[in-house]
Amino acid sequence: MAVVAALALGCGSVHAQSTPVGASQQGGSPQAAGEQAPDASKAKRLQAVTVTGSLIPQTEIETATPIHTITAEEMKARGFTTVAEALQQSSFATGSVQGAQTSGSFTQGAQTLSLFGLPVGFVKYLIDGKPMGNFPGLYNGSNVFNNLSGIPMDMVDHVDVLPGGQSSLYGSDAIAGVVNIVLKKQIDAPTIDVRYGWHKDGGGADRRISFADSFSAGKFNLLFGTQFESTQPIWGYDRDLTSQFFTQGTSAPTASRDFLVFSPFSGQYYFEDPNNCANVTGLFHGTEGKRTRSGGRTYCGSFATPGYKTITNSDKTANLYTHATFDVSDDLQLYGDLLYNYEEQKYAVGSGFTFWGSSIDYGAYYDPNLDDFVNLQRAFAPEDLGGYQHTMNKQYENSYMLNLGARGTFGQSNWDYDLGFTHSDDKLLQRGWNRLAGPMDAYFESRVLGPQQGLDPYYGAYPVFTPDYAALYQPISVADMNAMTTYTDTFAKTWDNMLRGQLTNASLFPLPGGDAGIAIVLEGGNQGWSYVPDPRLLNGVIWGTTDVQGGGHRSRYAATTELKLPVLSQVTLDLSGRYDSYKVLDQTVSHGTYNLGLEYRPFQSLLLRARYGTAFKVPTLSDEFQGLSGFYDFVPDFANCARLGFGPADIGNCPAPYDNTQYFGQQSGNPKLQPITAKVWSYGFVWAPLGNLSVNVDYLHWDISNEVNTQSALTLSTNDYLCDIGTLDANSPTCQEVRERITRGASTTPGLLGQIQTIYTPKVNVSNEQVNAISAAASYVQDIGAWGRLTFAVSYSDVLKHTRRAFPEDPVLDLLRSPFFSTDFKSKANGSITWTPNEQWAGTVYVNRYGRSPNNVAATTNDYSAPSAGKLPAWILYNASVTYKPTTKLGLSLLVNNVFNKMPPLDRSYPGTSGSPYNDQNYNVNGRAMYLEAKYKFGAN
């Protein structure tokens, strides 16, 4: 019990469990001596309902499948402003994820989460039990995933989270777990809800309004709701930590290099401005000036450039939801649901992605006056652009999900049926502000570089220029900037059709513990994905930027069976199996999964449970159909370093650029990929010794194989070296593959190979992963008499093991001790206390504890023993809310998030060159937010 208490109090939420764990239509306590026997004719059969995690209606509150539920009322009371936020702050969301703060990512306008540090695509998202459509953009430029940012919070009834593999019921993707977002099906009166919010330190002002109503006309019932929300962005300059370069790090704050002449080979700076930056001091709102770095390296720069990016997006969202039913007869009901979302977002990636440099076009150029190979760099200031707010990237998303169907019962039998059709559609337009290569190069060539004067005298490979450097240190007019920039439009789309039929019999035949139940499901449909970038992003018209591309579709079918067998009064077995098959081009990709669940109730208040099964994830449409797409990265050129006398163990002494060569990477999908597979199991207990107390603890395990990864550029470069020195036969398949994958330029130095230019890394099934974790929760309700009622809820998760092997030849990485490869939180805990003194007042305090995570030095060196390396302390945030109902019709609420305005843990291991000295995939600098909300019910008594 001490261990359980420690786990629970460490510390989201589960439903308060007000009935014993074993209570069911068959359960009950023995008759006391002398007590009159109950009248069986007056016994009331408990209503069986279908819950997430089972297809068979049942009466038990807890089953063999752990389930965590958070209601709409709990989300509001705890200060969550979106469904995405509620899930991301849950205790089991321990993994680091990209979001709005991750400048330059492919999906800066999307929200997702990672359960127990597993990949974001390993979660199955459902809306009312039906698969949610995929987001058309690619997470990290590679993976299809689900976007949670468009779910209308005021339309949500509750959210169920099932950790662990669930593929035997829900099919592909359900490896890490399942999230089922259940929308409202009824309301008791027309309701309008208005909310306004703001942040203590500025930015992020939020306005939201929603309206919902329902009516009936005979056998027809309709619920409809709409929600509109508008949120202003938070800019880096709105927060002290992101408004300038870090002032408390390992070095003094270091200004950005906005006007720079430098040698890429020696690292030497040349300060060539005869006016000592005087002509540009008005840029970046007057913060530009002459700066010096270590070694006397002088240039023009600013300490304030980090502030010119958004850390939260500008966001406008409109939602429409309808739920309709028509009762044809007592045994047949027609139903239809529509959820529509329109979302418009804007964001700025900052000056770090808004510049021109000569290295992209030339690598370097030779200046005979300097007798050196040099490059230019020129950052664009707000004054050049007419303000960064006029150059924000934009994202427009239109999505909807439509369900149509019929359900009922076959006559007087116990057989229920549900036949439905689901169609989801998501269209995405990404409008990016970009630089035109031709006009921009022409601008700097005509004003600064001057005409090319042949090739350099040393290698005969680099162009020769004698620039007018004074012309570099000048502002650029907005008109000139507009002439060399543009917006590019990338269109993406996903769609999914599914026809689904289900037969259910909750009383198939009697067993000693009650009636056996069965559910049989058949599904069929097709799905597609398309990603069409602006062609200028791929043909060189756009400067310094590329994109992904691709598209394809496939058909699929699946069959599922679940059996619930109460073999004894205390023992219930749950068996499920599923077979999925996908038709991909001219081949079929199929996989079967199963699950064995055991529930043992030695007495009413205690449930011991265990599950063992398999799960899978079919290759995503982007994994299979992504076209040839590009990116930039770095890799050691082992072959050339070896020719220079530096082996792989001495690569740190190999001269530039061979020690870490920048290359243009290319990758594409692979329609021959096989499914990702997993073995999953869990065991735990639920204990409810009192009607107002419930505790659950579960241990979960995943063993995942055949994960999709791009082929390793590092491995290809290593094999290239082994082929070059003859360790591997030049005619072997490995060396042939190397020659196909690596493209080099012409050799300019005797005895050396040409420099690596491109590396092709297709997707392959190669990676393996294992995770062990504990998930625990408790809830307690205490009546305090005239003072009302107190409700407590706590939740805790701890990742005990997380290992990964990216490629078969690699060692197994312990991600809990390899901070370069994982900065996930090992543990998360949260808890809430709600005081309800009477029907008019209610108040909640919510605390969320993010566990320790590696600091910057540990993450960059992958070594906790390195100087200054270590872990950051836990990050603890408090939310509070109070609601007052002056009448039964009106509710007024004040919500305060991050009550104490806590910033991320101070990480002094960041250098003074950092403009965001915190892990933006773990923490945020939003600070304290306050919301006023009014909810009015028309016609309520």
Side-chain angles (χ1 to χ4, degrees):
M1 287 304 302
V3 172
V4 172
L7 288 172
L9 296 176
C11 35
S13 166
V14 296
H15 259 329
Q17 185 165 302
S18 57
T19 57
V21 171
S24 69
Q25 64 191 62
Q26 295 83 25
S29 58
Q31 183 180 342
E35 210 173 65
Q36 184 176 357
D39 186 349
S41 65
K42 297 181 180 179
K44 183 178 180 181
R45 181 186 179 97
L46 295 180
Q47 179 66 38
V49 296
T50 300
V51 299
T52 309
S54 177
L55 304 175
I56 303 170
Q58 54 196 305
T59 58
E60 281 85 357
I61 296 171
E62 295 280 2
T63 67
T65 301
I67 181 170
H68 299 259
T69 299
I70 178 170
T71 66
E73 292 77 14
E74 289 170 333
M75 285 191 280
K76 176 181 175 180
R78 295 170 186 179
F80 303 139
T81 58
T82 65
V83 174
E85 185 178 38
L87 289 169
Q88 289 168 347
Q89 291 199 29
S90 61
S91 64
F92 29 78
T94 61
S96 305
V97 294
Q98 295 179 0
Q101 297 185 107
T102 315
S103 292
S105 72
F106 286 87
T107 51
Q108 195 165 332
Q111 296 289 327
T112 188
L113 76 153
S114 165
L115 293 186
F116 301 102
L118 289 167
V120 298
F122 282 19
V123 180
K124 184 78 169 186
Y125 292 94
L126 309 173
I127 296 180
D128 289 331
K130 306 295 175 59
M132 180 179 172
N134 288 321
F135 185 66
L138 300 184
Y139 187 82
N140 210 23
S142 181
N143 298 313
V144 171
F145 70 112
N146 292 98
N147 176 24
L148 300 172
S149 67
I151 304 296
M153 185 167 174
D154 279 354
M155 304 298 136
V156 173
D157 182 80
H158 66 275
V159 178
D160 291 330
V161 181
L162 284 70
Q166 311 289 338
S167 291
S168 65
L169 292 182
Y170 299 110
S172 177
D173 304 343
I175 292 180
V178 168
V179 173
N180 186 23
I181 300 165
V182 181
L183 302 179
K184 294 177 179 177
K185 299 299 180 289
Q186 62 182 16
I187 56 173
D188 54 11
T191 304
I192 187 169
D193 192 298
V194 180
R195 190 185 74 186
Y196 177 75
W198 69 99
H199 285 74
K200 169 188 174 294
D201 296 318
D206 177 86
R207 296 167 293 277
R208 189 179 78 190
I209 183 171
S210 67
F211 177 78
D213 194 7
S214 64
F215 71 89
S216 299
K219 297 181 178 182
F220 179 73
N221 300 280
L222 174 68
L223 179 149
F224 67 91
T226 184
Q227 176 178 303
F228 174 78
E229 186 166 9
S230 176
T231 306
Q232 296 177 353
I234 297 176
W235 289 82
Y237 51 68
D238 290 325
R239 300 293 181 267
D240 290 341
L241 196 61
T242 53
S243 63
Q244 62 178 20
F245 288 102
F246 195 31
T247 60
Q248 303 180 65
T250 58
S251 60
T254 306
S256 56
R257 299 172 298 183
D258 302 327
F259 298 82
L260 180 65
V261 183
F262 71 104
S263 169
F265 302 120
S266 67
Q268 182 177 352
Y269 289 14
Y270 294 95
F271 186 64
E272 298 296 316
D273 183 10
N275 297 302
N276 287 319
C277 306
N279 293 328
V280 295
T281 54
L283 300 183
F284 287 103
H285 290 83
T287 63
E288 192 75 20
K290 186 177 180 180
R291 314 295 180 192
T292 302
R293 293 195 176 194
S294 60
R297 297 176 295 172
T298 306
Y299 59 95
C300 300
S302 168
F303 291 101
T305 52
Y308 294 93
K309 70 172 184 178
T310 53
I311 53 179
T312 67
N313 298 345
S314 167
D315 195 336
K316 294 180 180 179
T317 304
N319 303 103
L320 173 67
Y321 168 61
T322 65
H323 170 69
T325 61
F326 182 77
D327 297 321
V328 178
S329 67
D330 291 342
D331 299 327
L332 174 60
Q333 182 185 73
L334 305 180
Y335 63 87
D337 301 284
L338 173 66
L339 177 62
Y340 171 77
N341 170 64
Y342 171 80
E343 187 169 16
E344 176 183 315
Q345 299 191 61
K346 299 179 182 180
Y347 54 90
V349 295
S351 63
F353 296 89
T354 312
F355 70 98
W356 174 84
S358 60
S359 62
I360 295 292
D361 297 310
Y362 312 115
Y365 68 86
Y366 178 72
D367 183 345
N369 294 326
L370 299 175
D371 190 22
D372 200 355
F373 294 89
V374 293
N375 269 322
L376 305 179
Q377 182 169 293
R378 167 64 156 93
F380 301 144
E383 293 77 9
D384 298 325
L385 303 167
Y388 270 97
Q389 67 273 18
H390 299 303
T391 62
M392 298 174 76
N393 294 320
K394 304 175 179 66
Q395 175 179 293
Y396 306 91
E397 183 183 7
N398 275 283
S399 64
Y400 68 90
M401 183 174 178
L402 175 67
N403 291 312
L404 298 172
R407 57 188 166 221
T409 302
F410 288 110
Q412 300 301 312
S413 73
N414 293 322
W415 288 96
D416 298 326
Y417 64 87
D418 189 333
L419 180 64
F421 171 75
T422 301
H423 174 73
S424 64
D425 192 287
D426 197 335
K427 295 184 177 68
L428 181 70
L429 167 61
Q430 293 174 311
R431 178 162 292 167
W433 182 86
N434 277 297
R435 299 150 290 181
L436 290 165
M440 193 168 65
D441 288 340
Y443 177 90
F444 287 99
E445 288 170 358
S446 63
R447 287 168 171 77
V448 181
L449 288 172
Q452 182 176 338
Q453 301 167 6
L455 299 177
D456 73 275
Y458 296 99
Y459 306 110
Y462 297 97
V464 175
F465 293 105
T466 55
D468 176 9
Y469 289 111
L472 175 68
Y473 301 89
Q474 298 289 337
I476 300 174
S477 71
V478 174
D480 284 339
M481 183 60 67
N482 289 339
M484 54 182 169
T485 59
T486 188
Y487 279 94
T488 57
D489 288 342
T490 291
F491 297 91
K493 177 181 179 179
T494 58
W495 51 266
D496 193 298
N497 294 310
M498 182 180 72
L499 184 63
R500 182 180 187 274
Q502 177 173 329
L503 287 176
T504 308
N505 190 331
S507 302
L508 185 63
F509 53 83
L511 286 171
D515 290 340
I518 187 172
I520 302 170
V521 177
L522 294 177
E523 296 177 4
N526 53 19
Q527 55 190 181
W529 166 74
S530 173
Y531 193 96
V532 183
D534 193 307
R536 295 174 295 176
L537 291 166
L538 302 179
N539 62 15
V541 172
I542 299 301
W543 188 90
T545 304
T546 185
D547 206 343
V548 299
Q549 62 177 331
H553 61 88
R554 62 194 179 193
S555 59
R556 62 186 180 89
Y557 70 85
T560 307
T561 300
E562 181 185 9
L563 280 171
K564 192 169 188 67
L565 304 172
V567 293
L568 298 172
S569 60
Q570 295 176 324
V571 178
T572 299
L573 298 179
D574 188 274
L575 314 175
S576 59
R578 180 177 170 114
Y579 182 80
D580 288 84
S581 183
Y582 293 77
K583 180 69 173 179
V584 184
L585 297 179
D586 58 349
Q587 68 173 2
T588 299
V589 178
S590 303
H591 195 72
T593 52
Y594 65 87
N595 178 76
L596 308 176
L598 172 65
E599 304 168 28
Y600 174 53
R601 293 175 170 83
F603 43 89
Q604 279 193 341
S605 63
L606 179 64
L607 165 65
L608 304 178
R609 61 189 178 191
R611 300 175 68 245
Y612 180 86
T614 58
F616 87 107
K617 177 179 175 62
V618 70
T620 66
L621 286 162
S622 64
D623 287 338
E624 294 172 332
F625 296 110
Q626 184 174 337
L628 194 63
S629 307
F631 60 92
Y632 292 96
D633 206 343
F634 294 85
V635 68
D637 186 347
F638 291 113
N640 270 329
C641 284
R643 291 191 175 202
L644 290 169
F646 302 95
D650 197 24
I651 199 70
N653 293 318
C654 183
Y658 305 113
D659 62 330
N660 205 25
T661 300
Q662 185 178 34
Y663 69 92
F664 179 65
Q666 291 183 307
Q667 62 182 20
S668 65
N670 181 357
K672 296 184 179 180
L673 288 170
Q674 295 302 304
I676 300 169
T677 61
K679 296 178 182 178
V680 294
W681 50 263
S682 66
Y683 59 84
F685 68 87
V686 184
W687 183 49
L690 303 172
N692 58 349
L693 171 65
S694 175
V695 178
N696 66 73
V697 180
D698 289 281
Y699 181 90
L700 304 108
H701 169 80
W702 291 264
D703 186 354
I704 306 169
S705 301
N706 300 319
E707 288 191 57
V708 175
N709 204 340
T710 56
Q711 194 166 7
S712 168
L714 186 66
T715 298
L716 287 170
S717 181
T718 301
N719 289 341
D720 185 31
Y721 153 72
L722 296 174
C723 295
D724 190 55
I725 64 175
T727 301
L728 295 176
D729 187 344
N731 296 317
S732 67
T734 299
C735 293
Q736 291 178 16
E737 179 187 58
V738 166
R739 289 193 293 269
E740 293 172 357
R741 302 284 191 258
I742 296 179
T743 301
R744 293 180 178 272
S747 176
T748 59
T749 304
L752 294 181
L753 301 171
Q755 190 168 329
I756 294 175
Q757 294 182 334
T758 64
I759 300 180
Y760 175 56
T761 56
K763 296 184 178 182
V764 289
N765 291 101
V766 291
S767 301
N768 299 303
E769 194 164 5
Q770 287 189 348
V771 173
N772 295 336
I774 283 180
S775 177
S779 62
Y780 177 67
V781 179
Q782 177 63 56
D783 189 345
I784 52 177
W787 293 93
R789 184 177 69 250
L790 291 174
T791 303
F792 301 86
V794 293
S795 178
Y796 172 79
S797 292
D798 194 346
V799 179
L800 306 177
K801 173 186 177 182
H802 193 174
T803 61
R804 179 186 299 147
R805 176 156 37 199
F807 299 96
E809 63 272 18
D810 290 347
V812 174
L813 280 175
D814 182 352
L815 297 185
L816 298 180
R817 295 167 180 81
S818 302
F820 177 81
F821 297 94
S822 173
T823 59
D824 295 346
F825 295 108
K826 183 180 183 296
S827 66
K828 283 181 69 176
N830 54 59
S832 66
I833 302 175
T834 298
W835 179 33
T836 311
N838 51 50
E839 294 183 355
Q840 289 184 301
W841 288 92
T844 297
V845 175
Y846 174 79
V847 57
N848 201 2
R849 181 188 185 275
Y850 298 80
R852 303 176 71 193
S853 68
N855 70 5
N856 176 64
V857 167
T860 53
T861 63
N862 197 39
D863 185 1
Y864 280 116
S865 65
S868 301
K871 288 189 175 183
L872 299 172
W875 193 40
I876 303 175
L877 303 181
Y878 292 85
N879 296 351
S881 70
V882 60
T883 297
Y884 170 60
K885 294 181 179 180
T887 71
T888 56
K889 296 183 178 182
L890 178 63
L892 303 174
S893 300
L894 170 64
L895 303 92
V896 182
N897 291 354
N898 194 350
V899 173
F900 300 107
N901 201 37
K902 289 289 291 293
M903 291 292 108
L906 182 62
D907 188 351
R908 298 181 184 275
S909 71
Y910 277 94
T913 53
S914 174
S916 299
Y918 63 97
N919 184 339
D920 58 19
Q921 295 187 31
N922 283 357
Y923 307 102
N924 68 73
V925 293
N926 298 348
R928 184 187 305 141
M930 292 150 284
Y931 299 89
L932 294 174
E933 186 170 354
K935 184 175 183 179
Y936 186 80
K937 288 186 176 183
F938 298 88
N941 294 324

